[in-house]
Amino acid sequence: MSDPVVDPKVMDEIVSLCKRRGFIFPSSDIYGGLASAWDYGPLGSELKNRVQRFWWREMTQIHENIVGLDASIMMHPRVWEASGHVENFDDLLVEDTVTNERFRFDHLTQEQQESMTSPAGNPLSAPRKFNLMFKTNLGPVEDTASTIFLRPETAQGIYVNFKNVVQTTRVKVPFGIAQVGKAFRNEIVTKNFIFRTCEFEQMEMQYFVHPSEDEKWFDYWREQRMAYYEKLGIRMDRLRWQEHGPDELAHYAKAAYDIEYLFPFGWSELEGVHNRTDFDLSRHSEFSGKDLTYLDDEKKERFLPYIVETSAGLTRSVLMVLADAYEKEQVGENDVRTVLHFHPAVAPITIGVFPLVKKDGLADLAREIERDLREDFSTFYDQGGAIGRRYRRQDEIGTPFCITVDYDTKEDQTVTLRFRDSMEQVRVPVSEIATRIREEIKSYKRTSDS
Ligand code: GAP
């Protein structure tokens, strides 16, 4: 089956919509922005929080043997020696000798690499190694003893807390530790909006297993992670697996697969599932001098667990959710609407509430209904402009349900419930709105496709 057709121009439309409607702004905008840094606005921060919560619920609530952690960004510098990042976390940097534009060597085509020419056809400088970790100093004295790194992945915070978690909870191998947080990489090339940035967020889960069961759990987590994206309402023909070849494997991995998404700029990595063996725990044992083996009380067996890691970018997931949801849809013969088909569980606003007109007590009635719903849902009240335009404003920010209060509401206590995707409208008793919307969220399936 051939890939769905994507249009690179859509990226510009998404960036523009994000700025116009308050999802994502350039960082330090009033100073002209900072390359590759972005701020999440009122709708963007809601969207990001909800994507994070969706992942957190899936990983910790649905799986009873996964616990959470929130480790510090700044860690002991020895952590990064043990992890191999000081030695190995490099990219090869090359420069166009005419324009001085920089490239990651591995991002060039094979032909460009072999002929050592840039995409513009100019000679390239010799490749040189570039460590991606950001260095800073802890305390007022800037010397090597005070040098620390901003963590380039959240995973290490989990490994160094493995013993703490085993000792303070009742978890038994196999079990997982989940964490969401910021990570920093001094990327040579940042591009495609929030896809690759120097400051980003990860959602990682490390699953500790018996060494004899690593392949079983690796397969299990691959299956679980793909199923997760289906639950999130992502179009499955835009997701695929990409296996890392032997020369692509990270220094810690025995096997690795990426989940790739078909972004408007092409297939690109969204998440990695890695079999990290006992590399991390054995290195931290060695460098810290602490015994990180696990004792299986029942089998009276002591061993160093293997780790199966699922590592997704949160900020990259937000871009994926936006790209997957975005559609410019033909309505009738002469009309086009912009709509974001977010899964209702991650939409920044769940319900828009409107009075048909402001007068005759309809605004007060709509306000009262909105106030009641606000206890359980994220709502937005809007009484400005024609009702059709109010619907379109909510479509553009992905609000899945809108409720209109009209003259009949006063008579029979029903409202119009309008669905974003199908634009279908039904009458619902006011007393049943909350139950109906909860059911709609649970059974949501995207009905429209671009
Ligand atoms: N702990 C393993 C690890 O960090 P990775 O493949 O380097 O593995 C995992 O990163 C995920 O983090 C990627 O699949 C991507 O979603 C996200 N990610 C990595 N670098 C990123 C960057 N510069 N900007 C945004 N997201 C990034």
Side-chain angles (χ1 to χ4, degrees):
M1 217 172 67
S2 58
D3 290 342
V5 179
V6 288
D7 177 1
K9 286 199 297 296
V10 164
M11 262 319 275
D12 293 336
E13 293 172 14
I14 292 173
V15 175
S16 152
L17 168 64
C18 281
K19 170 130 204 226
R20 188 160 34 85
R21 297 305 308 268
F23 280 94
I24 300 169
F25 308 120
S27 159
S28 326
D29 205 7
I30 58 169
Y31 289 95
L34 176 72
S36 107
W38 302 92
D39 296 343
Y40 291 77
L43 293 179
S45 53
E46 284 290 347
L47 178 64
K48 181 154 72 66
N49 284 342
R50 280 155 202 266
V51 171
Q52 171 178 340
R53 248 182 273 149
F54 197 91
W55 181 90
W56 190 262
R57 179 183 178 277
E58 173 78 13
M59 300 309 263
T60 66
Q61 191 174 322
I62 306 291
H63 293 93
E64 64 173 347
N65 55 347
I66 300 183
V67 293
L69 183 80
D70 186 3
S72 169
I73 288 172
M74 295 186 286
M75 302 178 73
H76 195 291
R78 290 276 284 164
V79 168
W80 306 110
E81 289 172 36
S83 69
H85 283 81
V86 171
E87 202 182 333
N88 295 311
F89 201 50
D90 305 307
D91 277 340
L92 279 182
L93 163 72
V94 283
E95 230 171 288
D96 181 313
T97 51
V98 177
T99 63
N100 295 333
E101 197 180 345
R102 290 176 172 165
F103 303 95
R104 254 175 74 168
F105 189 65
D106 62 329
H107 282 182
L108 297 173
T109 63
Q110 199 178 346
E111 200 189 323
Q112 289 160 348
Q113 290 182 3
E114 280 165 11
S115 63
M116 286 302 285
T117 46
S118 72
N122 300 320
L124 287 170
S125 64
R128 73 188 146 92
K129 274 190 173 182
F130 176 79
N131 192 291
L132 300 183
M133 283 199 294
F134 278 101
K135 269 188 200 157
T136 187
N137 291 87
L138 195 62
V141 186
E142 285 190 29
D143 59 13
T144 47
S146 68
T147 301
I148 59 160
F149 301 96
L150 299 184
R151 67 179 178 198
E153 62 172 11
T154 57
Q156 300 300 325
I158 295 181
Y159 308 142
V160 300
N161 277 293
F162 169 72
K163 211 173 179 67
N164 283 337
V165 172
V166 169
Q167 284 173 347
T168 55
T169 64
R170 297 167 66 109
V171 289
K172 291 205 183 314
V173 167
F175 76 92
I177 304 179
Q179 175 169 223
V180 180
K182 293 247 178 186
F184 302 83
R185 296 181 190 179
N186 202 357
E187 299 280 2
I188 294 169
V189 181
T190 54
K191 59 177 178 183
N192 291 326
F193 195 29
I194 54 170
F195 176 79
R196 188 183 306 285
T197 47
C198 292
E199 173 182 345
F200 57 99
E201 282 173 75
Q202 289 186 314
M203 305 183 287
E204 296 199 304
M205 194 281 299
Q206 313 295 325
Y207 206 67
F208 299 87
V209 305
H210 190 279
S212 64
E213 296 192 324
D214 63 329
E215 285 172 18
K216 176 180 108 182
W217 288 113
F218 184 64
D219 293 345
Y220 172 83
W221 279 109
R222 279 188 55 205
E223 195 191 306
Q224 291 287 305
R225 292 308 300 151
M226 196 52 106
Y228 158 87
Y229 288 108
E230 191 161 18
K231 278 193 204 169
L232 186 57
I234 304 305
R235 291 171 292 179
M236 297 309 281
D237 60 348
R238 282 161 168 78
L239 290 165
R240 72 175 186 193
W241 285 107
Q242 191 69 23
E243 186 177 6
H244 287 209
D247 52 338
E248 296 165 311
L249 283 175
H251 58 275
Y252 50 74
K254 168 177 160 186
Y257 280 83
D258 288 339
I259 296 177
E260 292 189 338
Y261 178 76
L262 185 57
F263 287 92
F265 45 85
W267 287 103
S268 302
E269 177 187 343
L270 179 64
E271 162 161 1
V273 181
H274 312 131
N275 180 345
R276 298 183 68 126
T277 68
D278 61 0
F279 176 86
D280 303 282
L281 290 185
S282 68
R283 294 276 290 189
H284 285 303
S285 266
E286 184 189 332
F287 279 68
S288 67
K290 299 284 184 317
D291 177 10
L292 298 181
T293 53
Y294 171 84
L295 176 66
D296 184 328
D297 285 335
E298 279 167 33
K299 294 192 182 138
K300 303 281 174 259
E301 184 191 359
R302 187 172 277 285
F303 59 90
L304 208 54
Y306 269 38
I307 293 168
V308 174
E309 166 182 70
T310 71
S311 175
L314 168 56
T315 40
R316 197 172 282 186
S317 290
V318 169
L319 179 60
M320 185 271 295
V321 165
L322 279 162
D324 203 67
Y326 182 83
E327 187 182 6
K328 260 179 148 173
E329 185 184 282
Q330 189 73 37
V331 184
E333 285 201 354
N334 307 316
D335 198 6
V336 173
R337 70 168 180 153
T338 302
V339 54
L340 289 173
H341 298 280
F342 292 139
H343 188 293
V346 298
I349 293 167
T350 314
I351 314 172
V353 182
F354 319 139
L356 183 64
V357 289
K358 281 180 259 180
K359 54 185 187 176
D360 302 327
L362 294 190
D364 289 343
L365 192 50
R367 267 275 181 220
E368 202 182 304
I369 291 172
E370 190 258 339
R371 234 174 272 129
D372 282 349
L373 290 170
R374 206 189 286 176
E375 291 288 325
D376 297 313
F377 302 96
S378 156
T379 60
F380 185 80
Y381 176 82
D382 187 4
Q383 60 178 28
I387 198 80
R389 293 194 50 189
R390 282 181 261 169
Y391 284 142
R392 291 296 165 86
R393 285 202 291 262
Q394 294 304 313
D395 290 344
E396 200 186 38
I397 59 168
T399 305
F401 312 107
C402 288
I403 280 166
T404 300
V405 172
D406 56 22
Y407 289 103
D408 287 342
T409 311
K410 287 168 107 178
E411 302 302 318
D412 61 7
Q413 285 76 50
T414 64
V415 291
T416 297
L417 169 62
R418 185 254 193 193
F419 298 92
R420 173 199 65 203
D421 291 357
S422 62
M423 293 189 281
E424 188 198 341
Q425 303 189 3
V426 293
R427 287 305 280 192
V428 177
V430 173
S431 59
E432 290 173 20
I433 300 171
T435 312
R436 175 71 186 265
I437 286 186
R438 252 181 238 115
E439 281 164 8
E440 294 288 342
I441 296 175
K442 254 193 156 169
S443 61
Y444 176 77
K445 284 262 175 303
R446 181 166 171 175
T447 51
S448 165
D449 205 357
S450 52

